[in-house]
């Protein structure tokens, strides 16, 4: 049996594997991270690990928190929190280049459902100075169209009455901060790293809304003293497969139960507003602190995420299993290239150092990376939470300016088409979305309206306010969706894309 990756087996690893450059026994945990999935472990935890090599940065170890399941804790605990980050890219001659780095910044993983009080105590610990999050869009229990807290969410309702055993990220944060305030401890920084417009401001609004309902004095303390910087993270991180685990363990020379796979590219932009200091993350290439993250966030959401989702929905419907397969389809490649350059780029405004055409070309190359077979159906998850900020906000800007939005609308139509639950090959799949039930009911209602014509159906679809918000009644968008949905259903993805491209 192969040796297990752990602090005691580091010296036994294969030559060429990068190891943590710090004395882990001297680290103190200054960061509590909610949502310790692959995305976090491929960016914040990795970047933090690299700056921990400086002994003066040793107060920034990480306590990870799983909000739902114990699988990450069960995998990493026997490894002392260590795991491997495998950065993969295509090389000359069709080869795959992979660089392995063992990350040692995660000191412990807590499982919230098993012991929520332990999570609250860690947020309220004197050593904690940053509480960060990657809980995905749906983890914020908010209405994607308005950014408002969904008070009807069962976890939010539960958390208002259960301060010692919260379930949601918002409840966990507020009740942890309540302990800090009650004990006279300093405030902390709340750092969202999720794909949300103005993610820091959104998190602040949700936290303050919950706190105001729970305890107005606590809300006042949080609003005055805690900080909520916005940030933008860009690194493609597919779900780790069993084949990844086996390959990485073999190359490592030790068994790693849960490695992470990602691309070498990394961009992380963070507003420099921290309540109690911060790690020197900007020592790592690709990371920088800025006064305002919004321009960079807009580029990421509209260019990277908007294109990713459009590829995922249309690619999945055409039968493409992965993003490299989808972007290798000449019709889809041409569609995304035109959408980025003709419809998305003009909405970005002036962004320091951005050449939008070069950025789009680089992005297409990243999507085509053969070493990262990111599954289209994984990206297609949770569309009700993603489509508003990835596609609809861009589309709004185009429609308000009286400019064409045909290609963006095809991405939205692709999502609606994907919700039927089977692709063009006849393969069926589940709709993984927090609003799946409500969407199914609304789709059935819209289908009944189709008897009055495709425009009536599309107009009905736009009345689903959690997603479309103020776009309800928008005749231009209804006409575009009616046209695209009809074409997708009758002629399929390839023919529809050919028809819309000039």
């Amino acid at each position: 049996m192969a040796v297990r990756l752990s602090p005691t087996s580091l010296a036994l690893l294969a030559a060429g594997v990068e190891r943590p450059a710090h004395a882990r026994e001297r680290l103190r945990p200054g960061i509590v991270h909610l949502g310790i999935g692959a995305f976090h472990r491929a960016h914040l935890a990795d970047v933090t690990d690299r700056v921990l090599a400086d002994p003066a940065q040793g107060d920034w170890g990480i306590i990870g928190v799983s909000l739902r399941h114990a699988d990450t804790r069960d995998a990493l605990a026997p490894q002392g929190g260590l795991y491997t980050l495998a950065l993969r890219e295509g090389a000359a001659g069709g080869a795959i280049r992979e660089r392995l780095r063992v990350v040692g910044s995660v000191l412990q993983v807590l499982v919230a459902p098993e012991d929520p009080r332990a999570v609250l105590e860690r947020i309220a610990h004197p050593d904690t100075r940053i509480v960060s999050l990657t809980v995905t869009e749906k983890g914020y229990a908010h209405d994607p169209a308005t950014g408002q807290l969904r008070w009807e969410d069962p976890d939010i309702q539960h958390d208002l009455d259960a301060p010692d055993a919260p379930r949601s990220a918002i409840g966990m944060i507020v009740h942890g901060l309540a302990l800090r305030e009650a004990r006279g401890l300093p405030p902390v920084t709340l750092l969202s790293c999720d794909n949300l417009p103005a993610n820091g401001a959104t998190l602040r609004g949700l936290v303050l809304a919950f706190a105001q309902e729970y305890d107005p004095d606590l809300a006042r303390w949080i609003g005055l003293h805690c900080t909520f910087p916005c940030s933008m993270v860009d690194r493609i991180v597919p779900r780790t497969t069993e084949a990844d685990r086996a390959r990485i363990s073999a190359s490592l020379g030790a068994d790693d139960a849960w490695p992470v796979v990602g691309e070498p590219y990394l961009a992380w932009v963070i507003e420099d507003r921290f309540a109690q200091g911060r790690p020197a993350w900007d020592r790592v290439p690709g990371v920088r602190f800025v006064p305002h993250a919004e321009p960079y966030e807009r580029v990421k959401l509209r260019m990277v995420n908007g294109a990713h989702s459009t590829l995922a929905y249309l690619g999945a419907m055409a039968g493409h299993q992965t993003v490299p397969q989808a972007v290798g389809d000449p019709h889809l490649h041409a569609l995304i290239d035109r959408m980025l350059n003709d419809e998305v780029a003009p909405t970005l405004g002036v962004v320091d150092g951005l050449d939008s055409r070069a950025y789009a070309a680089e992005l297409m190359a990243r999507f085509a990376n053969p070493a990262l077979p990111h599954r289209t159906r994984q990206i297609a998850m949770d569309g009700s939470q993603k489509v508003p900020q990835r596609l609809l906000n861009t589309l709004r800007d185009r429609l308000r300016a009286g400019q064409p939005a045909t290609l963006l609308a095809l991405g939205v139509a692709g999502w609606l088409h994907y919700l039927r639950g089977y692709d063009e090959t006849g393969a069926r799949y589940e709709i993984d979305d927090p609003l799946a039930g409500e969407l199914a009911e609304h789709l059935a209602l819209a289908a009944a309206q189709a008897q009055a014509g495709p425009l009536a159906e599309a107009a009905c679809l736009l009345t689903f306010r959690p997603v479309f918000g103020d776009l309800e009644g928008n005749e231009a968008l209804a006409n575009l969706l009616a046209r695209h949905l009809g074409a997708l259903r009758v002629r399929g993805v390839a023919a529809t894309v050919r028809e819309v491209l000039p």
Side-chain angles (χ1 to χ4, degrees):
M1 180 181 294
V3 66
R4 184 76 175 262
L5 176 63
S6 71
T8 58
S9 66
L10 284 173
L12 306 176
L13 301 183
V17 174
E18 189 176 350
R19 298 158 175 79
H22 49 75
R24 297 186 81 233
E25 65 276 6
R26 297 180 183 174
L27 298 181
R28 296 171 66 88
I31 301 171
V32 173
H33 186 84
L34 306 182
I36 183 167
F39 190 59
H40 160 71
R41 292 192 287 135
H43 84 277
L44 191 151
D46 172 47
V47 172
T48 301
D49 187 71
R50 290 195 257 174
V51 302
L52 289 174
D54 179 356
Q57 295 287 307
D59 291 344
W60 296 111
I62 298 170
I63 302 294
V65 178
S66 290
L67 293 172
R68 291 290 181 259
H69 307 293
D71 45 8
T72 302
R73 188 273 315 277
D74 293 346
L76 297 190
Q79 300 179 180
L82 298 178
Y83 63 91
T84 310
L85 173 61
L87 300 180
R88 291 170 58 81
E89 60 185 332
I96 302 297
R97 182 165 46 237
E98 183 171 68
R99 187 171 78 250
L100 302 183
R101 166 178 164 74
V102 175
V103 177
S105 57
V106 178
L107 306 182
Q108 183 183 9
V109 177
L110 304 175
V111 181
E114 292 181 359
D115 190 353
R117 184 71 192 187
V119 179
L120 298 179
E121 289 292 341
R122 179 47 63 179
I123 292 174
H125 195 284
D127 285 347
T128 299
R129 291 185 276 168
I130 295 173
V131 177
S132 51
L133 301 86
T134 47
V135 295
T136 75
E137 295 92 338
K138 66 182 176 184
Y140 288 77
H142 76 311
D143 184 330
T146 66
Q148 300 301 306
L149 192 64
R150 288 194 294 115
W151 294 105
E152 70 276 13
D153 185 288
D155 286 346
I156 295 296
Q157 291 181 354
H158 169 274
D159 291 356
L160 286 170
D161 298 322
D164 291 324
R167 297 173 183 164
S168 70
I170 301 300
M172 203 75 67
I173 289 170
V174 171
H175 292 309
L177 293 177
L179 290 181
R180 293 190 72 89
E181 194 271 341
R183 295 171 182 177
L185 292 171
V188 295
T189 297
L190 289 307
L191 176 63
S192 170
C193 299
D194 283 299
N195 287 323
L196 297 170
N199 55 10
T202 298
L203 177 61
R204 185 178 190 273
L206 298 172
V207 165
L208 291 179
F210 186 100
Q212 183 66 32
E213 185 72 15
Y214 177 71
D215 180 350
D217 289 336
L218 174 63
R220 190 174 304 109
W221 180 82
I222 294 171
L224 287 173
H225 302 293
C226 293
T227 60
F228 296 79
C230 293
S231 71
M232 180 283 291
V233 189
D234 189 5
R235 170 170 269 174
I236 295 174
V237 185
R239 181 177 292 153
T240 302
T241 65
E242 181 55 32
D244 291 327
R245 196 204 69 75
R247 182 192 69 254
I248 292 167
S249 293
S251 299
L252 196 64
D255 187 30
D256 184 346
W258 210 316
V260 178
V261 176
E263 63 175 338
Y265 180 93
L266 171 67
W268 187 16
V269 177
I270 315 139
E271 290 179 348
D272 200 359
R273 296 187 291 109
F274 288 78
Q276 285 199 77
R278 55 165 173 78
W281 285 322
D282 53 336
R283 295 180 184 175
V284 177
V287 184
R288 59 172 160 168
F289 292 101
V290 298
H292 303 288
E294 192 276 336
Y296 307 94
E297 166 199 276
R298 178 182 291 246
V299 171
K300 165 72 186 315
L301 286 169
R302 298 188 176 200
M303 296 284 275
V304 181
N305 298 127
H308 224 191
S309 286
T310 301
L311 267 178
Y313 294 121
L314 295 174
M317 293 308 295
H320 298 306
Q321 300 295 308
T322 69
V323 170
Q325 289 174 2
V327 81
D329 180 320
H331 303 112
L332 290 177
H333 189 285
L335 170 72
I336 299 303
D337 183 67
R338 293 298 296 267
M339 185 183 84
L340 290 173
N341 286 299
D342 293 356
E343 294 189 1
V344 178
T347 73
L348 299 178
V350 178
V351 183
D352 183 35
L354 177 69
D355 178 336
S356 62
R357 192 163 291 277
Y359 186 93
E362 180 185 38
L363 179 57
M364 298 297 280
R366 291 170 59 198
F367 287 162
N369 184 351
L372 292 179
H374 204 169
R375 295 186 66 79
T376 51
R377 289 185 192 169
Q378 181 190 353
I379 301 163
M381 293 168 53
D382 304 331
S384 69
Q385 312 298 298
K386 296 174 178 178
V387 166
Q389 55 260 19
R390 295 184 177 198
L391 292 168
L392 291 178
N393 283 343
T394 319
L395 202 148
R396 274 188 183 88
D397 285 352
R398 298 287 293 179
L399 293 176
R400 287 170 182 160
Q403 297 169 331
T406 303
L407 308 183
L408 287 161
L410 180 55
V412 179
W415 169 60
L416 293 167
H417 190 44
Y418 178 85
L419 292 175
R420 73 181 185 174
Y422 59 94
D423 65 24
E424 292 177 7
T425 72
R428 294 192 171 273
Y429 47 84
E430 285 190 28
I431 302 303
D432 192 340
D433 192 291
L435 300 183
E438 295 95 320
L439 282 167
E441 292 178 4
H442 201 79
L443 288 169
L445 180 64
Q449 295 295 315
Q451 296 177 8
L455 186 57
E457 179 188 10
C460 183
L461 289 169
L462 290 180
T463 64
F464 192 72
R465 294 194 65 82
V467 170
F468 293 103
D470 62 0
L471 287 169
E472 178 181 353
N474 189 293
E475 187 174 344
L477 180 54
N479 276 298
L480 286 170
L481 291 181
R483 169 190 166 192
H484 292 327
L485 283 171
L488 288 169
R489 291 166 181 168
V490 174
R491 294 184 287 280
V493 171
T496 301
V497 172
R498 283 197 302 269
E499 290 172 5
V500 302
L501 288 178

